[in-house]
Amino acid sequence: MAELTGQVAVVTGAARGIGAAIARRLAAMGATVAITARDEARLNEVAREIESSGGKAETAAFDLLDPAAITRFAESIQKRYGRCDILVNNAGVGFIGSPLHQMPPKDWDTVLNTNLRGPYLMIRAFAPIMIEGSKQGRAGHIVNISSLAGHNPLKNGAAYAASKWGLNGLTYSVAEELREYGIRVSAVAPGSVNTGFNVARGSSDKRLQPDDIASVVAMLVTQAPQSFVSEVLMRPTMKP
Ligand SMILES: NC(=O)c1ccc[n+]([C@@H]2O[C@H](COP(=O)([O-])OP(=O)(O)OC[C@H]3O[C@@H](n4cnc5c(N)ncnc54)[C@H](OP(=O)(O)O)[C@@H]3O)[C@@H](O)[C@H]2O)c1
C-alpha cells in the first residue's frame, strides 16, 4: 500500500508549476488530491493526467481572494470525505519588477491577499477539519510554500518579500497553535524554480525544478509522527 493511501490532500495553485508537481506526487503516493486554482481547464488537465496514472483527483476552480468560495470548498471536502490530512498552501503571485514606491495599491493588495491572506483563509477553513480528525487519532499537516525571498531582501519585489516574510511568521506561529492537536505546520522556502512564475527570465535547467519541491513536501508529510520539520530552505546547486 502506498504511504498516503486513504488520505485526502488539498493543494492550492495546482493548475501548473510547483502546485501541479506537488499534486502529482501526493497522488502517486496514494492520496486523493483536491486541487484548486482559478483556471478550470488547466486544473482538469492536471486531474486527467493524475487519473491516467492511476491516481485520484478532484478539482475546484475558485479565486483564493474569495472567502465564501473557500468556505464552500472546505464544506464540500468535509461532506465528501469527512477529513483533510494534508493542506498545501502553494498558490502565489509575484508582481516582481519595480520599486515599491511605484507599485499601485491594487497590485500590493493582490500580492498580499493571494500569498498571505489566502493561506490564512485556507487554514481558517481546514484546520477545524484537521482538529476533528486529530480527535480520531489522525495527524494533519499544513505545508506553506514560502520562498527564500521570505528570508532575504528582494530588490524590486518588496511586496512579494513582505508576503513571504509574513507567511513564515504565520507558519511558525500557527505551528505553535496546532501542535497540541498533533497537527504539523511547515514551510518550504525555495530559491528560483523553473516555472512560468519566472517566465520573464526564460527557462533554465540550473534552477530548481517543480519536482524538487514536490520531493521535499513528500518528505515532510511522511515524517514519523513524533518528528516535525518546521522549514526547509532550498537552493539550486548551480547559480542560475
Ligand atoms: N517559481 C519560483 O521561482 C518560486 C520560488 C520560490 C517560491 N515560489 C512559490 O511557489 C508557489 C508556486 O509558484 P509557481 O512557480 O508554481 O507559480 P505559477 O506557475 O505561476 O503557479 C501559481 C499557481 O497559483 C494559482 N493562483 C494564483 N493566484 C491565484 C488566486 N487568486 N486564486 C487561486 N489560485 C491562484 C495559479 O492558478 P490560476 O492562475 O489558474 O489561479 C497557479 O496554479 C508560489 O507561492 C510562489 O511564490 C516560487
Side-chain angles (χ1 to χ4, degrees):
M1 194 165 68
E3 279 172 293
L4 301 181
T5 299
Q7 296 197 20
V8 173
V10 169
V11 184
T12 69
R16 56 178 188 263
I18 296 169
I22 294 169
R24 283 188 212 103
R25 182 67 62 94
L26 297 179
M29 293 167 74
T32 297
V33 292
I35 56 176
T36 85
R38 291 164 299 185
D39 186 335
E40 192 165 16
R42 290 188 78 141
L43 274 180
N44 287 338
E45 258 176 58
V46 175
R48 265 197 300 275
E49 205 188 306
I50 288 171
E51 282 170 352
S52 68
S53 310
K56 293 189 196 125
E58 68 167 76
T59 63
F62 62 85
D63 192 329
L64 267 185
L65 273 50
D66 177 356
I70 292 178
T71 303
R72 279 195 301 274
F73 173 54
E75 284 169 357
S76 81
I77 293 291
Q78 172 69 339
K79 202 164 158 204
R80 233 160 112 70
Y81 303 107
R83 64 191 292 160
C84 174
D85 302 278
I86 297 166
L87 165 63
V88 184
N89 285 311
N90 163 77
V93 291
F95 286 77
I96 295 163
S98 55
L100 188 70
H101 69 273
Q102 291 174 5
M103 183 177 221
K106 72 171 180 26
D107 291 355
W108 166 272
D109 288 347
T110 302
V111 174
L112 271 291
N113 286 341
T114 310
N115 299 1
L116 190 52
R117 190 166 181 261
Y120 147 64
L121 291 172
M122 290 295 290
I123 290 168
R124 176 172 171 267
F126 281 93
I129 301 176
M130 290 186 175
I131 289 170
E132 203 46 47
S134 90
K135 291 181 194 152
Q136 294 148 46
R138 296 199 299 264
H141 207 137
I142 298 169
V143 181
N144 295 325
I145 306 302
S146 179
S147 169
L148 288 185
H151 290 275
N152 302 316
L154 183 64
K155 187 180 173 191
N156 295 331
Y160 182 72
S163 73
K164 296 299 188 178
W165 281 73
L167 185 59
N168 290 341
L170 178 148
T171 302
Y172 279 86
S173 305
V174 177
E176 289 306 313
E177 295 168 2
L178 294 182
R179 67 192 298 185
E180 68 185 273
Y181 302 101
I183 299 167
R184 294 173 285 195
V185 187
S186 311
V188 180
S192 196
V193 188
N194 210 19
T195 71
F197 195 89
N198 286 309
V199 76
R201 293 194 279 160
S203 76
S204 165
D205 55 12
K206 286 190 183 161
R207 289 198 196 113
L208 291 162
Q209 301 301 317
D211 270 343
D212 300 330
I213 319 307
S215 298
V216 167
V217 172
M219 177 277 288
L220 290 173
V221 300
T222 53
Q223 287 291 296
Q226 77 282 359
S227 158
F228 159 43
V229 179
S230 299
E231 185 175 7
V232 177
L233 276 63
M234 304 176 67
R235 291 181 170 78
T237 309
M238 309 281 284
K239 251 190 167 335

